[in-house]
Amino acid sequence: MRLRTLRIWKRFKPLWLFLLGWAAFSAVMLVLVGYHLFDWRGGLPKVDVASSQTIVAEDVRTVAIRAEGVTVEVGSSYDIRQIQVQLYGTGYVNQKASWQIDEAGRLTIRLDRYPITANAYGSRYEDELTMRILLPKKSYDEISITGDRLHAAFYQCKGKQLTADVAYGTIALQKADLQKADLYSNTSTIDIQRSRIQYLNIENTNGNTNLLDNQLRYWKYYSKAGDLNALVGKIQGVWELNSRWGDIHVGTKKWHTNLLLDLHSDTGTVTASSKKKPWKKTIPEALTDHDLLLLEGRGENMLLIDSEEGDITLDTVKFAQ
C-alpha cells in the first residue's frame, strides 16, 4: 500500500506542486487586492501632491489638528509607516505644515499660512487647498480637529477618542473604529458611514446630520434647527435624540425584540410603522399624533426621541451593505 502511494505521488507530483503553488499565489493575490482596494492610503484616492512632509511617529499617542479655510483629510492604514502630511489643490502657494511633539506624545499639526479664503463667507469660501494627513494604523489616545471654517473628513481612523469642533463646513467619518466620538458644530453637515463607535455625542446646532449603517452603543444627539436622518441595521444600545425645531428620522432594517420606544414631540407629528412582527400590530395601537410609548421584551435597547416642534419618523428601510 505504501509503495503504491509513493508511485501515485511521483506520478502526480508536478500536478500537486502546481496546485499548491497556485493556491498559495491566489491567497497572496487576494490579500494584496483587498489591501490595495480597501486600505491603501486609508481608502483615499491617489492625487497629485504638491508638498509632502514626513513626521517620525513612534512616540505619537495624540494627534491635534488646527486648520482654517481648507479641507482636511485624515486617513489611517497599515501601509503607512510614518505620519505623512500632504498638500494639494489649486490653493497651494508654497505652504508648509508645521508641527510640535511634546513629551507626552501629543502631536500638533497646523499650516504655516492659510488660504486667503480662510476667513471669507458665502461663495468665496471654497475648497482650494487640501491637507491630507496619513497615519499609521494603530489605536490613538485621541485624534482631534478644530477650526471655524473647514471641511474635516476621517477615513478608517481607530482610537479611544475622536473630537471634531467645526463651526461652519462639514464633518465626515467613514469606517471609523472608536471608543468615543464628540462632534460639535454650528451649521456644518455631519456624515457618519459604516463606523463602529461605543459612545457618540453630536451637538449640531443648525446643521443637518446623516448616519448610514453604523454600530452605536450609546448615542446622544442635540440640534436646534438641523434635521437628523439615521439609517441603521438595528436599533441596538441606548440612543437619546433631541431637537427643538429640527425633524428626526430613524430608519431600521431589522427590529429588535428587546426594545423600548419613547418618542414625543410637543407640537410636531410622530409617525411610526413597521412591517415586522409584533411591531406591525403593536405600533398602531400605541401611536398617537405626538407620542409613541411601547415596550417589547425587557427594553435593554432604547430609542428615546424628544422634540419641541420637529416631526419624528420611525420606519423600516432598505440600503446596500
Side-chain angles (χ1 to χ4, degrees):
M1 183 66 180
R2 183 178 179 184
L3 181 61
R4 182 181 179 184
T5 303
L6 288 174
R7 288 176 179 174
I8 294 174
W9 164 251
K10 289 181 179 180
R11 183 176 180 181
F12 293 99
K13 182 178 179 179
L15 178 60
W16 296 124
L17 292 177
F18 172 78
L19 292 175
L20 288 172
W22 179 258
F25 174 77
S26 299
V28 171
M29 289 302 297
L30 183 62
V31 171
L32 289 176
V33 169
Y35 182 85
H36 287 278
L37 285 178
F38 302 109
D39 202 33
W40 186 257
R41 297 180 300 273
L44 292 166
K46 186 176 181 179
V47 295
D48 293 328
V49 176
S51 172
S52 182
Q53 298 166 270
T54 301
I55 304 173
V56 177
E58 283 80 0
D59 298 326
V60 173
R61 301 168 60 91
T62 300
V63 180
I65 305 162
R66 307 286 185 266
E68 292 291 346
V70 298
T71 293
V72 178
E73 299 173 339
V74 183
S76 178
S77 63
Y78 291 108
D79 65 295
I80 303 299
R81 297 290 178 256
Q82 302 291 345
I83 296 176
Q84 299 178 24
V85 182
Q86 301 173 346
L87 301 175
Y88 68 92
T90 58
Y92 176 75
V93 284
N94 299 317
Q95 294 100 331
K96 296 291 182 180
S98 62
W99 62 84
Q100 292 179 335
I101 304 178
D102 63 20
E103 296 179 353
R106 179 182 178 85
L107 169 66
T108 302
I109 303 174
R110 66 179 74 235
L111 279 178
D112 60 355
R113 287 180 294 125
Y114 296 122
I116 59 174
T117 58
N119 295 314
Y121 291 85
S123 60
R124 290 181 57 203
Y125 173 54
E126 299 176 353
D127 306 337
E128 296 181 348
L129 180 63
T130 297
M131 179 166 64
R132 174 178 289 184
I133 301 172
L134 300 176
L135 304 175
K137 193 85 165 188
K138 68 176 186 178
S139 181
Y140 294 87
D141 288 347
E142 183 178 11
I143 301 172
S144 66
I145 186 168
T146 57
D148 286 337
R149 297 174 181 84
L150 64 92
H151 298 289
F154 299 88
Y155 301 88
Q156 301 180 181
C157 291
K158 182 178 181 181
K160 297 179 181 178
Q161 171 80 42
L162 186 145
T163 304
D165 191 344
V166 178
Y168 311 100
T170 60
I171 302 172
L173 275 65
Q174 190 172 90
K175 296 182 179 179
D177 186 1
L178 304 166
Q179 292 184 24
K180 185 178 181 182
D182 290 308
L183 310 179
Y184 306 101
S185 181
N186 289 341
T187 62
S188 297
T189 297
I190 297 178
D191 288 291
I192 307 175
Q193 295 187 17
R194 295 180 168 86
S195 296
R196 182 172 57 185
I197 305 172
Q198 286 294 312
Y199 179 89
L200 174 63
N201 178 49
I202 300 176
E203 295 183 19
N204 195 4
T205 306
N206 297 303
N208 295 330
T209 302
N210 304 293
L211 278 72
L212 174 64
D213 196 17
N214 299 286
Q215 298 179 40
L216 311 172
R217 185 57 184 160
Y218 302 99
W219 176 21
K220 286 189 175 182
Y221 165 85
Y222 172 76
S223 179
K224 284 186 178 179
D227 295 336
L228 170 64
N229 184 39
L231 307 182
V232 300
K234 182 185 290 187
I235 301 169
Q236 191 163 3
V238 179
W239 300 355
E240 299 179 52
L241 315 179
N242 297 274
S243 75
R244 291 190 65 182
W245 311 300
D247 297 334
I248 296 177
H249 170 228
V250 176
T252 179
K253 292 183 70 174
K254 298 180 180 179
W255 288 77
H256 213 295
T257 55
N258 184 13
L259 177 62
L260 169 65
L261 299 176
D262 188 353
L263 285 55
H264 169 79
S265 179
D266 292 344
T267 60
T269 302
V270 175
T271 304
S273 62
S274 175
K275 299 178 181 178
K276 306 294 183 181
K277 296 180 179 180
W279 303 100
K280 184 177 180 180
K281 178 181 179 181
T282 55
I283 285 179
E285 295 175 347
L287 182 65
T288 68
D289 289 341
H290 302 290
D291 293 277
L292 173 62
L293 180 60
L294 186 58
L295 172 65
E296 288 290 346
R298 297 183 301 274
E300 294 175 349
N301 303 286
M302 303 180 187
L303 178 61
L304 314 174
I305 305 179
D306 186 82
S307 179
E308 293 183 17
E309 301 180 24
D311 294 334
I312 299 172
T313 303
L314 172 65
D315 56 15
T316 306
V317 295
K318 294 181 179 180
F319 54 83
Q321 295 286 359

